[in-house]
Amino acid sequence: MPTESLIGYGAPVCVDSGSDQDGYLQGCTQVKCCPRSLYSLVNCPNFPPQLSAGPAQLSPSLSGLSLQSQTPEALRVVNLLQERNLLPLGPVTPPTPCLPQDLQKINCHPEVFRSTLTSIPQTQSLLNKAKLPLGLLLHPFKDLSQLPVVTSSTIVRCRSCRTYINPFVTFLDQRRWKCNLCYRVNDVPEEFMYNPVSRSYGEPHKRPEVQNATLEFIAPSEYMLRPPQPAVYLIVLDVSHNAVETGYLDVVCQSLLENINALPGDSRTKIGFITFDSTIHFYNLQEGLSQPQMLIVSDIEDIFLPTPDSLLVNLNECKELVQDLLRSLPQMFGKTMETQCALGPALQAAFKLLSATGGRVSVFQTQLPSLGVGALKSREDPNQRASAKDIQHLSPATDFYKKLALDCSGQQVAVDLFLLSSQYCDLASLGCISRYSAGSVYYYPSYHQQHNPAGVECFQKDLKRYLTRKIGFEAVMRIRCSKGLSIHTFHGNFFVRSTDLLSLPNVNPDAGFAVQMSIEENLVDMQSVSFQAALLYTSSKGERRIRVHTMCLPVVNSLSDIFAGADVQAITCLLASMAVDRSVTASLSDARDAMTNASIDSLTSFRTSVLTIQQPGLLAPACLRLFPLYILALLKQKAFRTGTSTRLDDRVFAMCQLKYQPLAYVMLMIHPALYRVDDLTDEGALNVSERTIPQPRVQQLSVEKLSRDGAFLMDAGSVIYLWIGRNCNPNFLTQVLGLPNYAAVPLNMNMLPELDTAESQRTRAFVGWLREQRPFFPILHVIRDESPLKASFLQNMIEDRTESALSYYEFLLHIQQQVSK
Amino acid sequence: MEAAVFILSLVDCCALIFLAVYFIITLSDLECDYINARACCSKLNRWVVPELVGQALATVLMLVSLHWFVFLLNLPVATWNMYRVWKVPMGNMGVFDPTEIHNRGQLKSHMKESMIKLGFHLLCFFIYLYSSVCV
């Protein structure tokens, strides 16, 4: 190999963070070689990335050539009108970029960083010809089981573009390295020459920074604008009559009491409480008081803080008082008759309280804010829910929440919103408070402790996750790309502070982001381009850290290579985010047309430019064979559907989730997975930590696949449906559900009983495995013919025709008609 | 009378030129990161309505003094300004919205718009100057 050596074949070097869920390691330069690859990500349904398909198998010298010599699997022509079974047996795997084997081995994991096109076009005109969107989807703060943490006195960065050194730089000799984003030659600092792994000198390319595409630095003081803030949590609770009726206060207080020691933080952690109805109530929790003291501010036009301190107290010092307060809160407001709700002033008070330090505000709201600044009116017209034309009121009604969110973002305060209401709450306006302050929105329609016990369980589990998950404060994220590419649009919950700097007052492991790129200059003479996402944050223990992810992708200049590298799931998710933006700025019908046109245009482009032999039918490359199916699924998704009655808040929440959730969960939301479960076998089962998880085949979403004598499980991300056929195998009913016959299946069963039979164990293992893979808790609903949820189960059958939408086959015919024009 | 109309329009046009330059300078400050999005947008939003009024004034003056060609020249810009203000959705913070300005590449389009307006106002300035001298 010439001196310009890329990374060798050495096993990835990582600093084992053990099973510590936080992954926090102090000053660790002690390394152990892992026998397994770096990418043991626990929450990964697509692990390991399949290397079976595609030209990654080609030797490094050949992979630079274009793929004309053999038609790879990805470009195999599929006639969508004839082939019915398009879904793979298991989960859809992302395509592997066709890089040399040694580079691809250390490339960033697709669960963390993914591109819509794994082969980047060389010119913008080529990209326009392909008619596919170019963008990146990232999940930068994902919970990782193995994360190398590097404490180094110098963090090596490029002098001009400030990129962090990464596995894809080139070392010109031992002392100089060439940045892979701006191509500038930099010097290797003296300290970097020493490699702590092999205790050798003169091998900078063996250091962990250059061997891992995902790693974390402990940031020195130059990376801090102010001393790292402590973890500060403020809970803002709606205590109007309506709210107390739903009984959510008990659940919240109980959950806080249980998890109070598990809140991420250290000895400086602070906590505070505000409750509101038509007035704002503050709680003085000063150490030394015998019980918490409530201070009421009724002047909501001009909110002020009643005492300068002791409203936000140190958690460890005042723990008993906090626990007292949590125990007494539900009773305090048990008999309240206040019906008004002053959310705006409460948020202003929360902002005032937290503006000195920054932190997280958790707001629990159960009705439309009716009093004070930021009061909202009910804009939804129930008759328009099933409108076949445009949907109105998808954008905010007032700019108050946006302005407040920007103020909060400036002071490093993030606001998370929990909406638990049964009526219209104008989520389109309220959601702005979270969207621009990097918070998250949780929505529990029709929450009630008696009428909706499944919802209560879901809320409890979500709260537990919310309170105990990892959190980063006062964060900023920068996404850099190679010279020639530029990022123009961002999707997700944050404030875009400057052209590529995202301000995230809080960063949490459940947030996903997407960006769209364009090719400003032609990428000639470049074999590959790189992307780097750097997230600078303060951990809950007050440590300033930088998480860096780097991805490298090849550059190609032929249309067939671009199609071969298309990642259909990433494209669908990016299109969904773009469609949400379009629905809000233009109109919903525009967005729907744009999505349909996306599939038509890309298939037309494939047909005219790549196909050599014209055949009848609707031809698509194998990598894009699921594209029309996913587009149809999006068109029938709650966010974009017309003609079916959809509540406005449900629709807006679906839109928020499409933009906020990481890719894996968005795909489940869009295209749920359907399995037959009454005949689970151990054939092809996974062995995970000594449990055998059966792996049934994924079925198409059509009632044609449902059969009366079976039971089917549909995994739709946030909810799991178990549909029991009328003539279901009695064996299944007795062994798994513990019921004598079909008639005994109750209408609202939410749990599988723990029976000692093999079938029950298999079914529960399977459901448990599905649930483990995601951070939120999906409720299980057992559905029979007369169930009230049957309609929502059947709405997920996207391949079928409904009164207001086409079936999959009809949609394909419509596309074929447009493509052949 | 004619001269007076043109001199008034000339002065109005001068004001519009200065305003366009101010917009361009503020937007380029934002591009170079000298000010933040919030400050920039609040500055610019303050001057959107005065610009609208100034442009409408020039248009009306031309209409009233029956100079059809110049009136028709000014009319598109005036209507565009009014459309721009009317089109702003309720939840946005004005024509220049700090949450969107970086996110959707609006910076470039606003900059382009201001440049075009500057060119247009300069053209109008010379037309008025020439007309006021000729009359």
Side-chain angles (χ1 to χ4, degrees), chain B residues 25-53:
Chain B
I25 290 179
T26 315
L27 284 171
S28 68
D29 271 351
L30 181 62
E31 236 175 341
C32 301
D33 239 357
Y34 288 146
I35 51 174
N36 66 33
R38 205 100 191 260
C40 166
C41 290
S42 56
K43 274 199 226 179
L44 294 179
N45 279 329
R46 260 195 68 205
W47 291 102
V48 165
V49 173
E51 186 196 1
L52 179 76
V53 164

Side-chain angles (χ1 to χ4, degrees), chain A residues 214-476:
Chain A
T214 292
L215 84 164
E216 195 153 89
F217 292 98
I218 309 274
S221 52
E222 301 91 64
Y223 290 86
M224 307 178 201
L225 283 176
R226 60 177 189 181
Q229 66 165 85
V232 181
Y233 303 109
L234 181 65
I235 320 281
V236 179
L237 299 160
D238 178 4
V239 290
S240 59
H241 174 75
N242 193 28
V244 177
E245 261 293 293
T246 60
Y248 90 93
L249 210 48
D250 293 301
V251 175
V252 172
C253 293
Q254 190 58 34
S255 193
L256 273 169
L257 279 170
E258 280 167 16
N259 296 308
I260 200 153
N261 294 319
L263 282 175
D266 56 2
S267 56
R268 301 178 299 157
T269 307
K270 287 180 150 185
I271 195 165
F273 295 87
I274 291 181
T275 56
F276 66 97
D277 42 33
S278 59
T279 54
I280 318 287
H281 323 131
F282 298 86
Y283 295 89
N284 185 347
L285 296 165
Q286 193 168 34
E287 200 184 352
L289 285 179
S290 58
Q291 58 173 5
Q293 189 190 38
M294 178 156 100
L295 304 159
I296 304 183
V297 173
S298 42
D299 181 12
I300 56 175
E301 301 304 323
D302 188 16
I303 281 289
F304 61 94
L305 296 177
T307 78
D309 45 347
S310 69
L311 292 175
L312 210 55
V313 294
N314 188 308
L315 180 58
N316 289 327
E317 288 166 17
C318 309
K319 198 173 276 190
E320 285 86 38
L321 274 175
V322 170
Q323 285 167 327
D324 271 341
L325 178 62
L326 288 171
R327 276 187 272 262
S328 54
L329 259 178
Q331 285 86 17
M332 250 197 261
F333 296 101
K335 302 277 186 297
T336 181
M337 282 298 144
E338 293 275 359
T339 50
Q340 304 266 44
C341 169
L343 176 64
L347 288 174
Q348 284 177 325
F351 170 61
K352 275 204 168 63
L353 199 48
L354 245 49
S355 53
T357 49
R360 181 179 80 183
V361 181
S362 317
V363 179
F364 294 83
Q365 172 75 0
T366 55
Q367 60 180 63
L368 207 57
S370 52
L371 211 55
V373 66
L376 297 170
K377 295 201 201 4
S378 176
R379 298 190 286 171
E380 187 191 14
D381 179 6
N383 302 331
Q384 291 296 315
R385 279 188 195 156
S387 157
K389 289 175 287 137
D390 261 333
I391 307 288
Q392 305 286 345
H393 307 305
L394 291 171
S395 53
T398 161
D399 62 3
F400 169 74
Y401 294 99
K402 226 189 226 195
K403 278 206 190 118
L404 190 56
L406 290 184
D407 287 332
C408 289
S409 184
Q411 300 295 106
Q412 311 295 354
V413 176
V415 181
D416 293 323
L417 181 67
F418 287 79
L419 204 56
L420 311 121
S421 80
S422 46
Q423 289 169 328
Y424 179 64
C425 261
D426 204 349
L427 188 54
S429 310
L430 289 183
C432 291
I433 189 81
S434 296
R435 203 173 307 147
Y436 300 107
S437 65
S440 30
V441 177
Y442 290 84
Y443 180 58
Y444 302 95
S446 319
Y447 180 88
H448 197 280
Q449 64 184 1
Q450 263 120 27
H451 307 322
N452 190 0
V456 174
E457 193 193 357
C458 186
F459 183 47
Q460 273 170 332
K461 294 250 165 46
D462 283 349
L463 260 185
K464 179 165 194 268
R465 162 79 182 165
Y466 173 74
L467 292 171
T468 54
R469 71 185 175 193
K470 193 163 151 172
I471 186 171
F473 294 98
E474 50 187 2
V476 288

Side-chain angles (χ1 to χ4, degrees), chain A residues 396 402 407 488-490 581, chain B residues 38 91-92 97-98 102-104:
Chain A
K402 226 189 226 195
D407 287 332
H488 60 80
T489 306
F490 299 86
D581 279 350
Chain B
R38 205 100 191 260
N92 269 26
D97 187 315
H102 278 301
N103 198 354
R104 254 168 263 301

Side-chain angles (χ1 to χ4, degrees), chain A residues 666-741:
Chain A
V666 175
M667 282 318 301
L668 274 179
M669 216 174 109
I670 296 175
H671 188 269
L674 183 66
Y675 307 95
R676 183 163 182 159
V677 292
D678 61 313
D679 55 357
L680 287 178
T681 60
D682 282 341
E683 196 182 305
L686 276 187
N687 265 320
V688 173
S689 48
E690 290 153 21
R691 284 177 303 153
T692 314
I693 320 271
Q695 298 285 293
R697 194 205 155 108
V698 177
Q699 310 271 352
Q700 284 162 291
L701 288 169
S702 165
V703 291
E704 173 188 25
K705 294 289 170 182
L706 296 181
S707 97
R708 286 210 176 277
D709 46 334
F712 291 82
L713 188 98
M714 178 191 281
D715 178 8
S718 54
V719 67
I720 297 183
Y721 298 108
L722 178 58
W723 183 83
I724 316 283
R726 192 169 278 279
N727 302 331
C728 182
N729 191 352
N731 202 27
F732 180 79
L733 290 172
T734 48
Q735 309 278 33
V736 179
L737 296 181
L739 299 164
N741 53 26

